[in-house]
């Protein structure tokens, strides 16, 4: 099989764009035809497998209509004794690798999902699409160069981000910091980030692929050198002294601290994580350009991506069949025992509405009508600015991230996180949950402030409340109509989250379980 680099060399940038990013040029009708064709191939594979027969429960669906009518929705509970135990004998196609995400306390330590050879191959092309689009300024714009220097700050295998890193390494001759080798993959995540940082300072950086919060944190490390003596010492090594002097001059001329954009002229940034949009402006300020946002998960791998206009995201149709569960259907299913909620397809979704995303994997992967728990908002029928004739989306929340407040508000992690950012609270980390105080429900937000935080608890509470009023009309109406102000802020002692992480690590917890949840911990 040809690699992206070989196609580029033999056929040129147009052929590479068509192979990697061609899904953005499809019409909705063409996209739906592709979805249905791939689904029918997948249903035939599932029908011959033990897992498919288990999930079909005697049905024999051959197409999307029959699948939706005959097969119930699933959660990971339906796969815990098969995929959870990595049983290869039940799969519709052999596993090339297994990837995992966090599991559920007391039930299963990890959610294991297999990657097949065909899925991995398609994933490799789509990983290159991420890099190409992070550099592009218009349709068909391929700015990749041989030996581009990539600063990669993603979790290692068996997390899916690590597998994506390996896929891009096989596709293009990047100079990767850190290299994808067993030595670096086995390092603790923080140590890998430090090594990547050190190599990038010495060699320079053209592209960075990272978790959004990690990219923003690295920018903070530059701008807060006085608080980071270890970073300052690293910057002063002989190999990077000239780079540091130039960066210092640029920052002084601008009258501000040093940012990554002073040290590197980064040509492309791509980030994942539900918090990506929250850090969008901070990353642009620190790094000199907006990051390309990617919607990804272990279960679905790469599901949606922004285009060259860096606004809404377009669904990627070649790895999963998409169904959309409307919020009113979710509520009805929760209230009526035995009710089977009805889904919509990609050509049936309505702009302005929220849906839980439901996936059926393609290419021999095993998930069937899988409820992801991710709530997405359909923002439009097409991207007018980029000329993309497909429905557009933005990540909204996780269903488990919701805190219901006094019957007025469904507070999401996204909104609360954005309020913390807009309130200007300098924090290490935070967590929130619904509690009872003097017989009344309150939202308790526990924050570990940074040493630079200048606000008292009361001041922070007021600033976050005002930010929530501006961001969430329901939160503002709750005070205006009912006189309720249920927000409570409590500061945690310095080092609280670090000690928590250390205890979890000492107890053998994996990377995905080292930090407490932000919502409902």
């Amino acid at each position: 099989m040809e690699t992206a680099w070989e196609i580029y060399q033999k056929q040129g940038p147009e052929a590479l764009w068509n192979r990697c990013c061609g899904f953005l040029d499809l019409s909705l009708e063409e996209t739906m035809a592709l979805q249905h064709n791939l689904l029918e191939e997948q249903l035939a594979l599932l029908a011959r497998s033990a897992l498919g027969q288990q999930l079909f429960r005697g049905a024999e669906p051959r197409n999307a209509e029959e699948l939706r009518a005959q097969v119930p929705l699933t959660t990971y509970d339906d796969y815990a004794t098969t995929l959870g135990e990595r049983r290869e004998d039940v799969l519709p196609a052999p596993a090339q690798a297994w990837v995992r995400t966090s599991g559920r306390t007391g039930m299963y330590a990890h959610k294991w999902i297999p990657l097949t050879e065909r899925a991995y191959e398609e994933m490799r092309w789509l990983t290159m699409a991420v890099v190409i689009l992070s550099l592009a300024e218009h349709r068909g714009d391929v700015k990749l160069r041989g030996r581009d220097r990539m600063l990669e700050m993603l979790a290692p295998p068996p997390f899916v981000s690590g597998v994506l890193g390996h896929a891009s390494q096989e596709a293009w001759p990047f100079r990767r910091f850190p290299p994808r080798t067993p030595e670096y993959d086995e390092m603790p995540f923080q140590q890998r980030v430090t090594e990547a940082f050190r190599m990038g300072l010495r060699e320079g950086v053209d592209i960075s692929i990272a978790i959004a919060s990690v990219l923003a944190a690295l920018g903070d490390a530059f701008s807060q050198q006085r608080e980071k003596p270890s970073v300052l010492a690293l910057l002063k090594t002989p190999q990077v002294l000239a780079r540091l002097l130039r960066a210092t001059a640029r920052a002084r001329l601008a009258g501000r601290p040093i940012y990554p954009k002073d040290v590197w002229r980064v040509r492309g940034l791509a980030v994942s994580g539900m918090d990506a949009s929250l850090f969008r402006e901070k990353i642009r300020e620190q790094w000199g350009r907006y990051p390309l946002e990617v919607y990804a998960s272990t279960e679905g791998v790469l599901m949606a991506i922004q285009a060259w206009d860096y606004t809404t995201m377009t669904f990627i149709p070649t790895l999963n069949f998409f169904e959309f569960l409307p919020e009113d259907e979710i509520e009805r299913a929760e209230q009526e025992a035995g009710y089977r909620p009805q889904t919509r397809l990609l050509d049936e979704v309505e702009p302005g509405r929220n849906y839980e995303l439901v996936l059926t994997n393609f290419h021999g992967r095993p998930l069937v009508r899988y409820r992801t728990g991710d709530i997405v908002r359909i923002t439009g029928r097409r991207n007018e600015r980029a000329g993309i004739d497909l429905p557009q989306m933005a990540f909204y929340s996780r269903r488990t991230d919701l805190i219901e407040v006094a019957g007025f508000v469904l507070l999401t992690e996204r909104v609360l996180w954005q309020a913390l950012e807009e309130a200007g609270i300098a924090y290490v980390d935070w967590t929130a949950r619904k509690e009872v105080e003097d017989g009344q429900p309150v939202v308790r937000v526990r924050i570990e402030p940074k040493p630079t935080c200048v606000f008292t608890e009361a001041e922070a509470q007021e600033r976050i409340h005002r930010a929530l009023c501006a961001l969430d009309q329901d939160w503002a109406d709750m005070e205006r109509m009912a006189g309720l102000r249920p927000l409570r802020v409590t500061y945690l002692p310095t080092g609280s989250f670090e000690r928590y992480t250390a205890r979890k690590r000492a107890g053998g917890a994996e990377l995905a379980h080292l930090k407490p949840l932000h919502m409902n911990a």
Side-chain angles (χ1 to χ4, degrees), residues 184-464:
Y184 286 102
D185 283 348
E186 291 169 7
M187 285 182 178
F189 181 67
Q190 186 58 49
Q191 186 178 350
R192 290 183 69 254
V193 169
T194 300
E195 285 296 302
F197 180 45
R198 180 183 62 80
M199 294 175 184
L201 283 171
R202 187 178 65 240
E203 303 293 337
V205 174
D206 300 303
I207 303 164
S208 183
I209 310 294
I211 300 167
S213 56
V214 173
L215 202 64
L218 184 56
D220 288 339
F222 275 93
S223 62
Q224 298 169 6
Q225 290 178 46
R226 292 179 183 176
E227 298 176 36
K228 306 275 186 179
S230 60
V231 173
L232 185 58
L234 184 59
L235 286 168
K236 288 185 175 179
T237 56
Q239 297 94 324
V240 299
L241 183 57
R243 196 182 301 276
L244 172 61
L245 291 174
R246 290 193 297 269
T248 302
R250 293 187 187 108
R252 284 179 178 171
L253 284 172
R256 54 163 172 73
I258 295 176
Y259 287 148
K261 65 184 179 183
D262 301 314
V263 179
W264 300 309
R265 288 290 185 262
V266 177
R267 296 165 37 236
L269 296 173
V271 296
S272 63
M274 65 80 57
D275 55 350
S277 62
L278 302 181
F279 291 103
R280 170 183 167 89
E281 293 300 331
K282 177 183 282 190
I283 290 171
R284 187 183 74 84
E285 179 186 10
Q286 296 171 340
W287 291 79
R289 62 180 295 128
Y290 282 119
L292 186 87
E293 186 175 345
V294 180
Y295 173 39
S297 74
T298 302
E299 294 92 339
V301 190
L302 294 167
M303 297 177 290
I305 190 170
Q306 287 180 333
W308 47 91
D309 63 330
Y310 295 87
T311 56
T312 52
M313 288 188 278
T314 302
F315 290 98
I316 297 171
T318 56
L319 280 175
N320 305 280
F321 186 78
F322 295 117
E323 296 180 63
F324 301 85
L325 193 56
E327 288 184 310
D328 55 355
E329 287 290 308
I330 297 171
E331 293 171 3
R332 183 175 175 183
E334 291 173 347
Q335 295 167 2
E336 298 180 22
Y339 177 72
R340 179 175 288 184
Q342 303 300 303
T343 62
R344 310 289 185 266
L345 299 186
L346 186 60
D347 59 349
E348 299 171 330
V349 294
E350 300 176 31
R353 296 196 65 183
N354 295 339
Y355 300 87
E356 181 180 353
L357 191 63
V358 175
L359 302 177
T360 296
N361 296 153
F362 291 152
H363 309 304
R365 298 189 79 211
L367 300 181
V368 177
R369 306 201 75 205
Y370 179 81
R371 294 186 63 170
T372 64
D374 290 349
I375 305 297
V376 300
R377 177 178 287 274
I378 302 301
T379 58
R381 296 190 184 279
R382 67 190 308 271
N383 183 333
E384 297 286 352
R385 185 172 173 181
I388 296 172
D389 194 25
L390 296 168
Q392 298 294 292
M393 65 144 282
F395 184 86
Y396 183 73
S397 75
R398 291 278 300 169
R399 281 194 60 77
T400 53
D401 294 338
L402 300 174
I403 296 179
E404 186 274 334
V405 188
F408 278 86
V409 179
L410 285 176
L411 188 62
T412 69
E413 178 179 4
R414 179 190 179 92
V415 168
L416 182 50
W417 202 336
Q418 188 171 350
L420 280 164
E421 289 291 319
E422 297 196 3
I425 312 299
Y427 62 88
V428 175
D429 213 333
W430 62 275
T431 186
R433 69 175 186 174
K434 187 175 179 179
E435 298 181 356
V436 176
E437 179 182 278
D438 299 327
Q440 297 296 321
V442 298
V443 178
R444 177 77 61 182
V445 182
R446 292 174 169 83
I447 301 171
E448 181 185 333
K450 288 184 176 180
T452 54
C453 182
V454 297
F455 303 114
T456 65
E457 286 182 348
E459 290 169 336
Q461 182 171 299
E462 180 63 25
R463 292 177 70 88
I464 296 168

Side-chain angles (χ1 to χ4, degrees), residues 35-160:
Q35 283 262 287
H36 286 292
N37 288 339
L38 289 172
L39 178 65
E40 290 169 14
E41 292 179 12
Q42 177 70 8
L43 292 176
L45 286 173
L46 284 163
R48 298 193 292 269
S49 72
L51 180 60
Q53 293 166 15
Q54 173 189 320
L55 297 172
F56 289 169
R57 303 180 186 183
E60 298 180 357
R62 295 164 298 175
N63 53 45
E65 182 180 2
E66 292 177 357
L67 176 69
R68 296 163 76 195
Q70 298 171 6
V71 179
L73 300 173
T74 66
T75 68
Y76 199 79
D77 291 350
D78 296 293
Y79 306 89
T81 59
T82 50
L83 305 185
E85 297 177 7
R86 285 182 277 181
R87 287 183 54 192
E88 305 222 2
D89 60 305
V90 302
L91 299 179
Q96 177 170 310
W98 288 81
V99 293
R100 72 161 190 246
T101 186
S102 56
R104 185 179 299 175
T105 302
M107 296 189 66
Y108 35 84
H110 309 295
K111 295 179 185 177
W112 285 100
I113 310 287
L115 277 176
T116 63
E117 182 178 358
R118 282 188 64 197
Y120 184 83
E121 182 63 30
E122 181 61 23
M123 186 180 76
R124 189 166 65 173
W125 294 110
L126 292 171
T127 302
M128 289 305 302
V130 172
V131 182
I132 291 169
L133 290 169
S134 76
L135 297 161
E137 296 181 12
H138 52 80
R139 187 186 302 275
D141 188 21
V142 178
K143 286 189 168 70
L144 275 172
R145 304 169 184 160
R147 303 292 289 168
D148 269 334
R149 299 161 296 181
M150 178 181 286
L151 180 67
E152 183 188 286
M153 292 176 287
L154 300 169
F159 294 98
V160 72

